[in-house]
Amino acid sequence: MNKPYELLIFDWDGTLADSIGRIVEAMNAAAERAGEASSSDAAIKGIIGLALGEAISTLYPHLDAVQVEVFRQHYADIYMALDQQPSPLFDGVAESLEAFRADGYRLAVATGKARRGLDRVLKANGWERYFDITRAADETRGKPHPLMLEQILAHCQVEPHQALMVGDSAFDLQMASNAGMHSVAVGYGAMSLQALSEFGPQVCIDHFSQLREWLACSRTVNSKVGKHG
């Protein structure tokens, strides 16, 4: 059967890993350490996906560059302490990625995490081998700029229409659109499916395993079109 896509690209926090609660906790603990007011859960979830410095500046626009860097370091220290045992993967993620690899999909990660943090969680889970390439926010342009995806596409020698971005934030879906790619919205992470549906995803899912089901259905449709088209 023809695969509908060659390359599946995943956000990390809130899409593959159940880490949103830790991010919220670390952000508010960092705010307290920096002498700033805490933010609501909704406000913090609304900046997840951005590079950390940009996320802090969005939440606390009165901070100058030096203050943002101090805040960023507080957050990094606190999150590292909270994440000694890396956040677990969502139900169905490990099995699905194994199945995707077996089906011949190429896999990648495009995340707002820093490279050091991403490498740490990949190593802790033994996941380095799953992905053809990973891109972190501190080594390229942050979301929703498309450069992160463009670099992944170039590395894998895949055209935008052959790739699919899977994410839980508006920034993920906007980045995909900016790169000329299709996207899938997941509703169990930072943002609701109602909010994400405004950004034109191909499908909205509320459990990771539903991505396998949708892709399998898409393969069947493609196969029938190939036979009768």
Side-chain angles (χ1 to χ4, degrees), residues 32 51 72 76-77 81-82 136 146 165 170 176 199 211 222:
E32 181 178 2
R72 189 200 65 77
D77 293 343
L82 291 172
M165 177 69 206
F199 298 95
L211 178 61
N222 278 9

Side-chain angles (χ1 to χ4, degrees), residues 82-119:
L82 291 172
D83 209 46
Q84 289 298 312
Q85 179 66 35
S87 299
L89 303 174
F90 284 106
D91 289 344
V93 168
E95 302 89 338
S96 295
L97 292 186
E98 290 280 9
F100 293 147
R101 296 291 288 189
D103 286 343
Y105 287 103
R106 303 182 73 178
L107 307 180
V109 169
T111 179
K113 297 179 82 67
R115 170 53 60 184
R116 183 178 71 162
L118 178 61
D119 284 347

Side-chain angles (χ1 to χ4, degrees), residues 9-197:
I9 307 172
F10 302 95
D11 169 59
W12 188 268
D13 294 307
T15 299
L16 299 183
D18 187 5
S19 51
I20 300 299
R22 286 184 182 176
I23 292 172
V24 171
E25 182 179 356
M27 189 64 75
N28 276 330
E32 181 178 2
R33 190 173 293 183
E36 299 294 333
S38 61
S39 297
S40 68
D41 288 6
I44 296 173
K45 289 179 180 180
I47 54 81
I48 291 175
L50 293 174
L52 182 53
E54 185 177 356
I56 293 167
S57 293
T58 301
L59 286 173
Y60 299 96
H62 59 280
L63 298 182
D64 62 27
V66 173
Q67 291 170 315
V68 167
E69 176 56 26
V70 171
F71 195 121
R72 189 200 65 77
Q73 190 59 57
H74 288 327
Y75 174 89
D77 293 343
I78 293 166
Y79 189 86
M80 186 75 72
L82 291 172
D83 209 46
Q84 289 298 312
Q85 179 66 35
S87 299
L89 303 174
F90 284 106
D91 289 344
V93 168
E95 302 89 338
S96 295
L97 292 186
E98 290 280 9
F100 293 147
R101 296 291 288 189
D103 286 343
Y105 287 103
R106 303 182 73 178
L107 307 180
V109 169
T111 179
K113 297 179 82 67
R115 170 53 60 184
R116 183 178 71 162
L118 178 61
D119 284 347
R120 183 175 59 83
V121 295
L122 289 174
K123 183 177 180 179
N125 286 291
W127 278 62
E128 301 99 322
R129 67 183 180 87
Y130 276 85
F131 304 104
D132 293 85
I133 181 175
T134 61
R135 298 301 288 166
D138 61 344
E139 60 191 9
T140 182
R141 294 287 297 275
K143 303 173 185 180
H145 194 282
L147 181 60
M148 191 182 299
L149 295 182
E150 291 168 352
Q151 292 170 338
I152 291 172
L153 292 171
H155 174 87
C156 294
Q157 297 183 313
V158 169
E159 295 297 321
H161 71 274
Q162 298 173 304
L164 184 71
M165 177 69 206
V166 183
D168 68 312
S169 79
F171 308 115
D172 296 321
L173 275 55
Q174 289 173 316
M175 178 175 65
S177 178
N178 291 340
M181 288 173 48
H182 286 163
S183 64
V184 169
V186 303
Y188 50 77
M191 297 183 66
S192 70
L193 289 181
Q194 181 178 0
L196 293 173
S197 65

